[in-house]
Every structure is written in C-alpha cells, then in structure tokens.
Amino acid sequence: MIDRIENMERRALEEIDQATDTAALEEVRIRYMGRSGQLTALLRGMGDMAPEDRPRTGQRVNLANRTVTDALATRQRALQDAAAVVERLDITLPGRRPSIGRKHPLTLIREEVVAIFGEMGFTVADGPEIERDYYNFEALNIPANHPARDTHDTFYMGGDRVLRTHTSPVQIRVMELYPPPVRVIAPGRTYRHENPDATHAFAFHQCEGLYVAQGVSMAHLKGDLTYFARRLFGKAVKVRFRPDFFPFTEPSVDYSFSCVVCNEKGCGICKGTGWLEISGAGMVDPAVFGFVGYDSEKYTGYAFGMGLDRLAMFKYGIESIHMFLENDLRFLSQG
Ligand code: DAH
C-alpha cells in the first residue's frame, strides 16, 4: 500500500513539473485531486482499511496529499509569473541604446600633443611600425655593431626588417621626401625587447619632433619644449635639460619635467625624484643630414623624442604602463 502511495506521489510530481501552462496543470490537478481523482480515492478508501494499518498508511496518504497540493500551488505561481512577464513586454518602448565608447587615454594624450604642436606650426607625419634597419638605425647614424643598438634590442622580422624601436626613423622618411624647412611631429607605436616593469613594456608609444630650417638653435629647442610642457601641465612646470648622447644629435640632451603631482617633493609617480624623464633631444647631427641630402652648412635643426605613455601616466596618475594594453573596461571607461 505504502509503495502504491509513493509511486502515485512521484508520478503526480513529475506531471506537475512537466505541465507547461495553467490548463495542463489543471488537468493534472483533476487527475489526482479532483472529485474522482486518484489521491482523492485513496483518501476516501482509508475508512475501509484494517484498523491496525490505518495510522501508518493514513499518515503517508496525508503527506502525499500535502506534497502534491504544495507542488501544484508552486507550479501554478511560476506559470502565472512567466505569463505575466510575457504580458509585461511592452514593444512600444524605445530600444536599448548601444553604449558609446570613450577615448583611450593614449588617444587623449596624443590628440592633446598634436593640438599643442599644431598651434606651433607642426604637421603630423607617419611611418611604418615594421621598419627597415636602414631607417631605424643606419641613417640615424647608428651603424651595425654600434653600442647604441644594445639599448634598442628589438624584434627582428627577418631580412632587414625590424619592429621600430623609436619614432626617430620618421625623421629620415620626412627629410627624404621634403626639402627644408620641415616642422613635423610623428606620434606612434614603438617596440623593444624589454624586461617588463611598471614603466617598461614591449610595445609603447612615442612622439617624435623635428624642426629643420635656417638658423634653428638649441635655444629654440629649449623654448619650444618648455612652452609645450606649460601648455600640457600648467605654468608651474619646470623643464630640465641634461647632457646626454644620441648618435643622431649633437649636442644631445635628455629632458625632464618637474613633477606637478608632488611639486618636486618626491612621490610614487616620479619615483621620489621630483622629476619625470620624458626622453631625449638635441641638434640634428650633420651626419644625418648627409644621409638625406640636406646641406648642413645652410640648415640646422632640432629633434626630440617623447614618451607618450609616460606623459599619459603623469597626466592621469596611471601607475602601470601595462594598463594601456590590457583592455580592462574598468580602466578604459574612466576617461
Ligand atoms: N629615439 C630616442 C629614443 O627612443 C629618443 C630621442 C633622442 C629622439 C634624441 C630624438 C632625439 O629625436 O633627438 O631613445
């Protein structure tokens, strides 16, 4: 008897589960709990049962009755809710707007750099990221086996192709194409075989600057870079030039901006030094003019590099260069 009750309960629960609308559910209810339903018949039959079996069997039938009643009610509610969702679908509502992306921090900084130098008369030049050894090194006065190549370890693409290690090759390409005077900047991606840390990555971004004309001097370089720094970071920023060496400039300097985050006191962004090294610069070496057929007796020029990732890190307080290429939306959607 107990087995019969349990089987019936199991079947009833299965059928309740399989009912996909309220009409089907009602049929199940009638089949088991209706006036001539199977469970109803069992409940009614209790009176005819031998008195010694009655308590146990009775208890089980009552339990089955409750279980099936509860399951019917629960399923009923679920089916009604689902129907309500369908009814609530208002097809006259306007569609969901696609979310609009934001500019990447490197795009923001590049646009600002281009705008400032644009006002100063610089146009934008471009060059390939897969560059020829000649433009990346040779014509910049860095012959094969020159020790300066050590700091530019890169990805060799086979033949004489390399992933450019700096934007300086664009200088050569511009001077090959145009006679002086030229005044260009060249922002773009660059590559080096680096050990990654907070400020070094295998792919990074630079902006090259080149101004060649008659009478261009170191004073122009200092003045223009200082003006640029003030436009980008405000009047309080100082620019420091220190002697350095680059094969394609003579004399050469490295230049830094004073840390506007901590006012030169030393902080995490400037690594406690109060200064941010931006890159190198100098007067274009006459040997470079030789490669592009410029008359170095008549023309002089200045050139500079600029680490765009660094500028963006400085300006927006970003602590790791790797965030630029990780595509984490939590980072990118702050702008
Ligand atoms: N190309 C150099 C680098 O990536 C930076 C640089 C130094 C660029 C001096 C220049 C320059 O134009 O004149 O390390």
Side-chain angles (χ1 to χ4, degrees):
M1 190 62 186
I2 298 274
D3 279 354
R4 256 188 69 202
I5 301 168
E6 284 178 350
N7 281 335
M8 186 185 296
E9 182 188 69
R10 197 175 320 119
R11 258 184 291 116
L13 292 177
E14 268 172 32
E15 287 172 34
I16 289 169
D17 218 36
Q18 283 159 11
T20 49
D21 54 39
T22 47
L25 191 66
E26 178 62 7
E27 276 173 30
V28 179
R29 191 192 67 78
I30 291 168
R31 199 153 46 241
Y32 290 93
M33 315 284 278
R35 217 181 314 146
S36 45
Q38 299 175 29
L39 249 172
T40 315
L42 268 183
L43 280 162
R44 278 206 199 112
M46 292 309 296
D48 306 332
M49 201 166 284
E52 63 272 25
D53 289 340
R54 224 177 275 161
R56 238 171 59 102
T57 315
Q59 238 175 26
R60 191 63 190 86
V61 176
N62 281 329
L63 177 63
N65 189 29
R66 244 181 291 128
T67 311
V68 173
T69 307
D70 286 352
L72 280 167
T74 309
R75 185 79 185 140
Q76 175 82 9
R77 239 177 289 124
L79 290 173
Q80 277 168 351
D81 285 353
V85 168
V86 174
E87 279 160 23
R88 255 187 270 131
L89 228 185
D90 180 354
I91 56 164
T92 66
L93 284 174
R96 241 176 240 164
R97 283 173 196 279
S99 64
I100 294 171
R102 285 161 198 252
K103 286 180 182 170
H104 192 283
L106 286 171
T107 305
L108 292 174
I109 202 80
R110 191 195 65 225
E111 286 180 351
E112 204 167 345
V113 169
V114 167
I116 297 170
F117 280 109
E119 288 172 22
M120 295 161 70
F122 286 77
T123 50
V124 174
D126 203 4
E129 289 176 28
I130 301 176
E131 187 52 283
R132 285 182 46 205
D133 182 283
Y134 175 78
Y135 291 104
N136 196 79
F137 295 121
E138 205 74 29
L140 287 165
N141 206 23
I142 315 175
N145 305 319
H146 191 285
R149 290 203 181 200
D150 286 354
T151 60
H152 286 241
D153 193 7
T154 188
F155 302 92
Y156 290 88
M157 308 296 289
D160 69 343
R161 311 273 159 174
V162 299
L163 290 189
R164 66 177 180 190
T165 58
H166 49 178
T167 43
S168 302
V170 185
Q171 289 186 32
I172 306 298
R173 290 182 172 275
V174 167
M175 289 190 283
E176 272 185 354
L177 274 175
Y178 304 101
V182 294
R183 186 151 49 181
V184 294
I185 54 168
R189 188 172 282 189
T190 48
Y191 303 83
R192 277 185 214 181
H193 189 251
E194 295 273 13
N195 283 325
D197 63 24
T199 52
H200 293 89
F202 71 87
F204 56 105
H205 302 78
Q206 290 190 337
C207 181
E208 197 75 11
L210 174 71
Y211 175 32
V212 184
Q214 277 179 306
V216 176
S217 75
M218 199 78 181
H220 295 112
L221 173 67
K222 293 176 82 172
D224 289 352
L225 283 178
T226 304
Y227 174 77
F228 166 78
R230 289 185 183 156
R231 283 294 305 276
L232 195 62
F233 291 113
K235 290 229 158 47
V237 71
K238 288 185 225 150
V239 183
R240 180 182 72 181
F241 298 87
R242 294 187 301 188
D244 201 346
F245 172 80
F246 296 98
F248 38 94
T249 42
E250 179 62 35
S252 305
V253 293
D254 77 39
Y255 68 99
S256 307
F257 295 166
S258 62
C259 185
V260 288
V261 178
C262 64
N263 263 331
E264 290 165 68
K265 284 191 206 61
C267 67
I269 300 279
C270 63
K271 292 189 196 149
T273 65
W275 294 90
L276 258 231
E277 283 192 25
I278 306 300
S279 186
M283 298 306 293
V284 179
D285 195 303
V288 172
F289 284 152
F291 280 99
V292 296
Y294 274 22
D295 181 353
S296 60
E297 295 296 318
K298 198 167 163 197
Y299 297 101
T300 52
Y302 71 62
F304 59 83
M306 195 170 276
L308 286 181
D309 311 81
R310 281 180 200 186
L311 287 185
M313 289 167 77
F314 195 27
K315 178 131 189 169
Y316 308 126
I318 296 163
E319 279 174 17
S320 164
I321 191 172
H322 302 284
M323 302 191 103
F324 292 129
L325 295 181
E326 276 167 0
N327 288 336
D328 185 335
L329 281 179
R330 289 169 302 181
F331 169 67
L332 295 176
S333 55
Q334 290 176 72

